[in-house]
Amino acid sequence: MTAAEHHIVPRQPPSSGSAGSSGSSGSGSPAPSGSGDGDGTPPQDRRRVVRRRLITLTIIVLLIGIPAGYLVISAGQSRRSGKDKEAEASARGLREDWPSGMQRRIFELPVPGNAVGVQYYETNNWKASRMYVKFRTTSAGLDRFLSGVGTGRAALETGKVTIGERDVKITGWLFGPGVDWSGTVHKNKDPRPTQSITVNMTDPAAPVVYVVSASTP
């Protein structure tokens, strides 16, 4: 066969299938990373959420716990402070002086102007405030005092001591036999004070008055 008779076959372009198969090995999308959780939340985000929850819980505990603890401590300190004040007053004893005008108004103790030998002291705690007063006066002065408190001589019961053991221990007052004692308790509605009054009437012209005025906050 001559060259002229030889059939020339034209070159065929590469098939699309071969190009696709060759390109799929290098240009395809990368495989998804296996580092996430099953729900798709990255580990870093989950740690951040847990940390935020712990911080929130800590703040809540502090907001509730600190005030509650402060109240408990304050109550304990108040009780101790009240006991310390009473012990201090008892150790110091009655003060040889007049209570101030404000103290007399607060505890409603109208000590008569002619009173002598006036002694007093005040105690305060979380339960009550008390004013202890002792003085000698005249028969007319006793009447003025009782009237100013809101009671009268008729309310005094012969032979009665109205000041209790607790107050006796604090003041050191003695209410023994051989004395003409008379007493009364003048009660007021809270927050006004209640006065426990005991009078030594052995000398009617010069009675000695013992009074405890207690006020409950």
Side-chain angles (χ1 to χ4, degrees):
M1 180 181 294
T2 63
E5 296 173 338
H6 184 71
H7 295 287
I8 299 173
V9 180
R11 179 174 296 180
Q12 299 294 323
S15 66
S16 60
S18 62
S21 61
S22 62
S24 64
S25 61
S27 61
S29 60
S33 171
S35 60
D37 294 335
D39 59 359
T41 304
Q44 269 192 331
D45 289 346
R46 172 152 304 207
R47 285 196 297 270
R48 192 176 294 117
V49 169
V50 172
R51 187 164 57 249
R52 280 201 304 266
R53 289 177 179 173
L54 286 175
I55 292 172
T56 302
L57 181 61
T58 302
I59 292 172
I60 292 173
V61 170
L62 290 175
L63 289 175
I64 296 174
I66 289 178
Y70 176 77
L71 289 176
V72 172
I73 293 171
S74 296
Q77 288 177 340
S78 178
R79 285 193 292 269
R80 288 194 298 272
S81 175
K83 291 179 180 178
D84 291 344
K85 286 182 178 179
E86 287 190 354
E88 179 184 351
S90 180
R92 185 177 66 244
L94 292 168
R95 183 175 178 179
E96 298 278 351
D97 200 355
W98 283 60
S100 70
M102 180 175 290
Q103 288 173 315
R104 280 176 276 161
R105 286 192 297 272
I106 290 173
F107 290 95
E108 299 186 20
L109 293 172
V111 180
N114 65 351
V116 296
V118 181
Q119 300 176 341
Y120 83 97
Y121 67 76
E122 178 185 355
T123 62
N124 298 282
N125 60 35
W126 64 289
K127 287 185 178 179
S129 298
R130 286 179 173 83
M131 174 67 74
Y132 301 85
V133 176
K134 174 187 175 183
F135 60 89
R136 183 184 294 273
T137 185
T138 62
S139 180
L142 175 61
D143 288 331
R144 287 197 301 272
F145 171 73
L146 294 173
S147 175
V149 168
T151 184
R153 193 182 288 255
L156 293 175
E157 296 184 39
T158 302
K160 186 171 184 179
V161 174
T162 58
I163 295 174
E165 290 185 9
R166 177 186 179 280
D167 296 319
V168 167
K169 288 179 181 178
I170 291 175
T171 59
W173 291 337
L174 298 176
F175 299 102
V179 178
D180 293 336
W181 300 111
S182 293
T184 185
V185 176
H186 179 69
K187 295 183 178 180
N188 287 306
K189 188 175 180 180
D190 291 339
R192 291 182 61 194
T194 291
Q195 295 89 6
S196 298
I197 303 167
T198 297
V199 185
N200 179 347
M201 296 292 293
T202 304
D203 182 357
V208 180
V209 179
Y210 302 79
V211 55
V212 179
S213 181
S215 175
T216 302

